[in-house]
Amino acid sequence: TENSLYHLIEKTLAEEKIFDNLDLEIEKLSGEKVFLSVSSSLIKDEKGQLVGEGLLFSDVTNLKKLQAEINFKEKMAALGEMSAGLAHQLRNSMGSVLGFANLLKKVLKEQSPNSEIIQNIVTESLIMEQLLAKFLNFTKPLNLVLEKVNLKEISDESFYQVSEYSKRKDIVFVPKIPDDLSFVEGDKILLKQCFQNLFQNAFESMPKGGKLAVSIQEDKDGLKIEVSDQGVGIPADILDKIFNPFFTT
């Protein structure tokens, strides 16, 4: 980047041409990348001879980030509209496959050598149907069903289910949820889904076991819920992708 800026200055002086709002990407010593908008002007003496060049830098990093977010949202909206119809068709087809597989299970005896194959078809069909259902729910507008819920119970249930599903007993659950902060107005299903996703990530990040802690504190904006683990952490090169729909590693 420094070389490109150098060549830009050199070319401007050689050709005596100015430029406006040219975008440059600069990497700081810390490794952080910033975007600059650069404009130039020629400096001449009283005889009209070129003696130098003036550069005006504007930091447009936040603007670039905002533009990237807008582009991403527009892209996701278009993708959602296009793929929702396809997902509906696939879900209908998977329903047919599942129906025929269950019919085969009834026709064949349990001791049949093919019974295990049929069960595998049923299992994989159910998994695919669940994935398609999740995708279709993502493309729908979010409708909250608010009720009085107990965050302590939701977190306990979520940990138990993830623990049972993973068949692991090497994760220690450490909840720090005061009784007076347990009850809130919220959507129980969505909150449970949120806790389970976070807990599942924590389990996967701790292959050798460890502590999984949940704490709730009250601050000026309401309740602050923190989930922490003793896992390996998220690699820096994917941090900007973790909130992309269906992104996983």
Side-chain angles (χ1 to χ4, degrees):
T1 305
E2 291 176 357
N3 288 336
S4 63
L5 181 58
Y6 170 79
H7 291 307
L8 188 65
I9 295 172
E10 192 177 49
K11 183 177 181 181
T12 302
L13 292 174
E15 300 179 3
E16 296 191 17
K17 291 182 179 179
I18 62 173
F19 51 87
D20 288 317
N21 301 321
L22 186 67
D23 289 338
L24 282 180
E25 183 180 338
I26 306 290
E27 185 171 336
K28 302 166 80 174
L29 292 177
S30 62
E32 179 188 1
K33 292 183 178 180
V34 296
F35 293 92
L36 301 177
S37 177
V38 188
S39 298
S40 69
S41 60
L42 299 175
I43 302 174
K44 297 183 179 182
D45 59 17
E46 64 275 5
K47 295 180 181 180
Q49 297 295 317
L50 181 65
V51 294
E53 178 183 359
L55 296 176
L56 176 65
F57 295 92
S58 299
D59 189 342
V60 293
T61 304
N62 290 335
L63 180 61
K64 286 288 184 182
K65 290 180 179 178
L66 183 60
Q67 288 174 340
E69 288 178 9
I70 293 173
N71 292 337
F72 175 75
K73 289 178 180 178
E74 290 177 348
K75 180 180 177 181
M76 290 306 301
L79 179 63
E81 291 179 8
M82 177 184 67
S83 52
L86 177 61
H88 272 293
Q89 294 299 323
L90 288 173
R91 196 178 185 191
N92 290 338
S93 298
M94 289 309 303
S96 298
V97 172
L98 183 60
F100 285 125
N102 282 322
L103 184 60
L104 275 174
K105 279 183 65 178
K106 291 181 179 180
V107 172
L108 296 175
K109 296 180 179 179
E110 289 189 7
Q111 302 302 322
S112 168
N114 295 320
S115 60
E116 185 177 351
I117 298 176
I118 300 301
Q119 183 56 47
N120 288 337
I121 295 175
V122 171
T123 301
E124 292 301 319
S125 298
L126 285 171
I127 292 173
M128 181 61 70
E129 201 278 336
Q130 290 172 359
L131 288 173
L132 289 171
K134 285 183 178 179
F135 178 82
L136 288 171
N137 286 334
F138 172 73
T139 61
K140 294 177 182 177
L142 187 62
N143 294 317
L144 298 177
V145 180
L146 298 179
E147 58 181 318
K148 193 173 184 179
V149 296
N150 188 331
L151 292 176
K152 202 169 189 177
E153 288 183 358
I154 291 176
S155 65
D156 287 344
E157 291 172 5
S158 298
F159 178 80
Y160 174 78
Q161 290 181 357
V162 174
S163 181
E164 287 295 306
Y165 178 77
S166 64
K167 306 297 183 185
R168 290 179 59 184
K169 303 299 180 184
D170 57 350
I171 307 293
V172 179
F173 188 45
V174 185
K176 299 177 182 177
I177 306 176
D179 291 334
D180 59 332
L181 299 181
S182 293
F183 292 92
V184 298
E185 288 286 325
D187 188 307
K188 185 174 183 178
I189 293 176
L190 293 178
L191 283 169
K192 195 169 185 179
Q193 183 181 17
C194 179
F195 274 108
Q196 286 178 345
N197 286 337
L198 291 172
F199 290 175
Q200 183 66 39
N201 288 339
F203 270 62
E204 292 176 0
S205 74
M206 294 189 287
K208 297 181 180 180
K211 291 182 180 180
L212 170 58
V214 178
S215 66
I216 297 182
Q217 299 174 350
E218 193 169 15
D219 63 15
K220 59 183 178 62
D221 297 319
L223 291 185
K224 180 181 180 182
I225 303 174
E226 289 187 350
V227 177
S228 60
D229 58 60
Q230 296 177 318
V232 296
I234 301 172
D237 59 339
I238 66 168
L239 270 175
D240 60 341
K241 301 176 183 178
I242 61 173
F243 291 111
N244 291 356
F246 305 105
F247 174 79
T248 187
T249 62

